[in-house]
Amino acid sequence: QKEVEQDPGPLSVPEGAIVSLNCTYSNSAFQYFMWYRQYSRKGPELLMYTYSSGNKEDGRFTAQVDKSSKYISLFIRDSQPSDSATYLCALDTGRRALTFGSGTRLQVQP
Amino acid sequence: GAVVSQHPSWVICKSGTSVKIECRSLDFQATTMFWYRQFPKQSLMLMATSNEGSKATYEQGVEKDKFLINHASLTLSTLTVTSAHPEDSSFYICSARDIRYEQYFGPGTRLTVT
């Protein structure tokens, strides 16, 4: 079993839709939770960073962490074609490098 | 947000030669930098953790004599691919971690070995 599981997609939605991206994890030592966006042939860009259970909102993005269920989510409201990218969840115990999910490819259709 | 640069962004080299990739944190100090490798349509795979002033820690299966890492200052880490072979062709990405444990990634370096 992988430490972090993420549906690779692809996920195709119409412009304006609400997008839900999810990861599950097995290691309870993970304390820091991040979402990165990666465009093709570019480095990952940090979108959201949180270290506690609950919701964190930033513009059209909401990150949700449920430590009891070992489940994290990223919601994108009013999705735009420019949101089309691969979204990677990343988890950290605080002592080592990030453990990434496999990434979900998102395509927002205009 | 914090900015991490990589140089070069794209390099082509002949089999058997060595290639050096630089990773710089431009507006913050990074005691720890990480080197990742990414194949097409796959996620990032950690190669090594680089701490300023000490030897890098390599992940299992990564040849330390082939992938030389030097972290000479709080803003610069280098990865040298020695005696490169076509199977080393990949997208190499570095990241730098700030004091809040947030990691920022460079734009990546595409290496093609012919």
Side-chain angles (χ1 to χ4, degrees):
Chain A
Q1 184 189 9
K2 291 182 181 178
E3 280 193 292
V4 181
E5 298 277 358
Q6 184 176 9
D7 187 338
L11 178 63
S12 183
V13 301
E15 184 175 355
I18 296 175
V19 176
S20 173
L21 304 165
N22 311 293
C23 288
T24 58
Y25 63 97
S26 56
N27 186 353
S28 58
F30 288 127
Q31 298 296 322
Y32 303 91
F33 308 92
M34 286 140 279
W35 285 95
Y36 286 86
R37 176 175 63 194
Q38 186 178 26
Y39 293 109
S40 181
R41 301 193 177 196
K42 300 290 185 183
E45 171 193 9
L46 180 64
L47 285 177
M48 300 289 285
Y49 173 87
T50 184
Y51 52 86
S52 60
S53 284
N55 293 352
K56 181 177 181 180
E57 190 173 318
D58 185 1
R60 296 186 294 113
F61 299 94
T62 299
Q64 189 174 79
V65 175
D66 183 346
K67 287 187 177 181
S68 62
S69 301
K70 297 187 178 65
Y71 189 87
I72 64 174
S73 300
L74 177 71
F75 298 97
I76 307 174
R77 291 183 298 281
D78 187 25
S79 56
Q80 303 295 312
S82 58
D83 294 329
S84 299
T86 296
Y87 290 80
L88 299 147
C89 64
L91 291 74
D92 186 7
T93 61
R95 294 193 220 105
R96 51 168 292 180
L98 299 178
T99 300
F100 282 91
S102 55
T104 300
R105 284 192 293 133
L106 171 66
Q107 184 70 38
V108 180
Q109 305 292 343
Chain B
V3 179
V4 175
S5 70
Q6 271 185 252
H7 178 79
S9 58
W10 185 33
V11 58
I12 300 174
C13 71
K14 291 186 176 181
S15 186
T17 61
S18 295
V19 174
K20 180 185 283 189
I21 302 170
E22 291 187 350
C23 176
R24 293 181 185 272
S25 56
L26 297 185
D27 50 3
F28 68 101
Q29 294 183 332
T31 55
T32 303
M33 290 184 172
F34 304 92
W35 287 95
Y36 295 84
R37 184 172 177 172
Q38 187 176 34
F39 291 104
K41 297 189 178 181
Q42 294 188 23
S43 191
L44 287 77
M45 182 185 75
L46 178 67
M47 297 176 66
T49 300
S50 168
N51 292 298
E52 187 265 339
S54 63
K55 291 184 178 180
T57 302
Y58 291 81
E59 295 297 300
Q60 191 173 12
V62 178
E63 300 175 59
K64 62 181 179 180
D65 293 331
K66 181 170 185 60
F67 299 99
L68 300 179
I69 292 172
N70 182 272
H71 194 157
S73 75
L74 290 172
T75 59
L76 174 64
S77 177
T78 60
L79 168 69
T80 301
V81 182
T82 63
S83 187
H85 290 285
E87 57 265 31
D88 298 325
S89 299
S90 188
F91 194 50
Y92 292 87
I93 308 174
C94 73
S95 71
R97 189 166 69 185
D98 68 10
I99 59 173
R100 298 171 300 174
Y101 279 97
E102 291 186 26
Q103 276 195 40
Y104 297 92
F105 285 80
T109 296
R110 183 159 304 280
L111 171 63
T112 301
V113 184
T114 61

